Amino acid sequence: MRTPLCESLGIEYPLFAFTPSPAVAAAVSRAGGLGVLGAIRYTDPADFEAALCWMDENTDGKPYGVDVVIPKKVEGGSNASVEQIEAMIPPQHRDFVETVLAKFGVADLPPEEHAAGIVGWMHAHARAQVEVALRHKIALIANALGSPPADVIEAAHEKGVLVAALAGKPKHALAHKEAGVDIIVAQGHEAGGHCGEITTMVLVPEVVEMVAPLPVLAAGGIGTGAQVAASIALGAQGAWMGSIWLTSA
């Protein structure tokens, strides 16, 4: 099932493993797929730098990628703090969350165990991750929030790095193509981190037709070889897989 995208990236199989684990990402790359390390957990650029250095040393020279969560536009400005973002959350939303937790009997955490929240998606953190990633020999940088800012796409292309963006609707995929993205990840509702309400089998062929000849990866509920083959039959050039790697030792 070798596809043109395999040739472009220098991989043997059209399998893209999105994972927060460097060990899993490196193992997939060594085996002939493309391991894609999720960056959102690395709020300290030094920690992300260390993780990518480890990837460099443990992929046997095989290509790998990274996945960031960087917004194209930012409410409150690109330098907004966590406190400023939290202040934008309306009381109705906080009440809704408390109601849901109470309804299902979810006990509150002790004060000393309350986490500050995941801040890796914030603009400043994500940009720092991009800067670190582009210092390494990555083959791909993917953005879970769609098209990255134009200067990020430009910086990646200057380094010879392909840019991928997730899309949950055909119109979003078309916007990514117009923004200069190289690969569209058509992610259906079945995905663990779904970004829309259209199912994978319906979404993939629509996106393939919408953005042709741009390569498309299918995502959402894919966990077997038969499902990978079905994705390619629908016009995708590979499968973007996430949840399946949670079962990996």
Side-chain angles (χ1 to χ4, degrees), residues 8 50 52 198:
S8 299
L52 295 189
I198 307 173

Side-chain angles (χ1 to χ4, degrees), residues 58-77:
N58 289 274
T59 47
D60 294 344
K62 302 289 182 67
Y64 70 92
V66 299
D67 179 278
V68 297
V69 184
I70 183 169
K72 188 174 183 179
K73 58 182 180 179
V74 185
E75 190 70 27

